[in-house]
Amino acid sequence: MKILQVLHQFLPNHIGGIELYVRNISRQLIYQGNEVLVFCGEGDVLRDPEQRQEDLEGLSAFFIHNKKDTPKKRGDFFQTFKNSKVIPLFEQVISSFHPDIIHFHHTMYLSAKMIFFAQKKNIPTVLTIHDFWFLCHKLHLINGNKFQCRGPLGGVKCAFCFGAEDKGSWRWMKTLFYLIPFIYRTQYQLRALQSVDVLISPAKFIQKK
């Protein structure tokens, strides 16, 4: 079986629980006779992306990264979860690899559009939910006061949480400015979440949320 693993960043530049999990499960799948390819970002907003292929201790990976000297721009909010520029590169990998299944681990800085694209191509999808990215732009459902957030409330609470990062009048201007974008983000992310064929949750708390 050909399995495509998808995550927002990977070894060796990024070392964390998700990265190690994907490496270990990929190695085990290869040991069992499967063919595995990793499709990953560089942990940053992709404004002008290109890809390179690397071999990491026998594990083949396609890294999606910005071209050298790509300038930062405003309006990166939507690019963190819905980046159309990633899709052509994703399509190229699918066309050459022909995966039997796609296992998503994280779509931050890549695009939840990849899930819809896989669905359109009739490729079975699995998503392991390692954190709360699909509900929370801060990943961990912890608000500005360092308390646990009960949920986005359709995105309204996200805008207030985002605005709380600033002070004074700009705080409220920022909250109002991002209110509609966060409502859209929440709806879009939940629609992507509901489009996956199989969801895997490593903890009952995450599953409950």
Side-chain angles (χ1 to χ4, degrees):
M1 179 180 288
K2 290 187 174 182
I3 303 166
L4 182 64
Q5 307 275 23
V6 179
L7 70 162
H8 60 319
Q9 58 190 27
F10 198 47
L11 307 168
N13 294 331
H14 301 276
I15 302 176
I18 300 177
E19 294 81 7
L20 295 176
Y21 177 85
V22 172
R23 182 197 65 182
N24 293 342
I25 195 175
S26 295
R27 285 179 174 177
Q28 183 62 27
L29 288 167
I30 292 172
Y31 176 76
Q32 293 175 350
N34 299 285
E35 189 175 347
V36 178
L37 180 65
V38 176
F39 182 90
C40 54
E42 284 282 12
D44 196 5
V45 175
L46 296 162
R47 304 169 189 86
D48 189 17
E50 60 183 3
Q51 64 183 6
R52 69 178 188 274
Q53 186 173 6
E54 293 187 11
D55 185 83
L56 305 172
E57 300 177 9
L59 182 60
S60 183
F62 272 96
F63 284 87
I64 310 303
H65 59 96
N66 283 312
K67 294 178 181 178
K68 188 178 180 180
D69 299 326
T70 298
K72 290 189 176 182
K73 300 178 181 178
R74 292 185 177 182
D76 284 341
F77 173 82
F78 290 98
Q79 305 302 316
T80 61
F81 67 93
K82 185 183 179 183
N83 193 341
S84 299
K85 294 181 179 179
V86 173
I87 301 304
L89 302 176
F90 186 60
E91 184 176 9
Q92 288 177 22
V93 171
I94 287 179
S95 297
S96 60
F97 184 59
H98 301 291
D100 297 300
I101 189 169
I102 300 177
H103 189 168
F104 292 96
H105 296 271
H106 221 297
T107 60
M108 181 172 67
Y109 299 135
L110 291 173
S111 182
K113 292 186 72 173
M114 296 184 298
I115 295 174
F116 298 122
F117 183 83
Q119 185 182 44
K120 182 179 178 181
K121 294 292 183 179
N122 295 316
I123 304 173
T125 53
V126 176
L127 170 64
T128 295
I129 307 174
H130 296 275
D131 54 36
F132 299 104
W133 170 248
F134 284 88
L135 298 179
C136 173
H137 70 285
K138 290 185 175 181
L139 300 177
H140 303 301
L141 280 179
I142 301 296
N143 61 29
N145 296 320
K146 308 301 180 182
F147 293 114
Q148 179 189 326
C149 174
R150 294 184 178 182
L153 193 63
V156 175
K157 289 171 67 175
C158 301
F160 279 90
C161 184
F162 194 56
E165 297 174 355
D166 291 87
K167 298 180 180 180
S169 59
W170 174 241
R171 170 180 180 174
W172 300 110
M173 291 175 62
K174 187 176 179 180
T175 298
L176 292 174
F177 183 82
Y178 279 96
L179 181 59
I180 299 301
F182 267 113
I183 290 175
Y184 175 81
R185 179 194 187 276
T186 301
Q187 293 177 346
Y188 186 83
Q189 290 281 82
L190 290 179
R191 189 159 59 89
L193 190 67
Q194 294 164 353
S195 298
V196 177
D197 295 308
V198 176
L199 292 173
I200 298 175
S201 171
K204 289 185 178 180
F205 180 77
I206 294 178
Q207 186 181 38
K208 182 180 177 180
K209 286 295 180 181

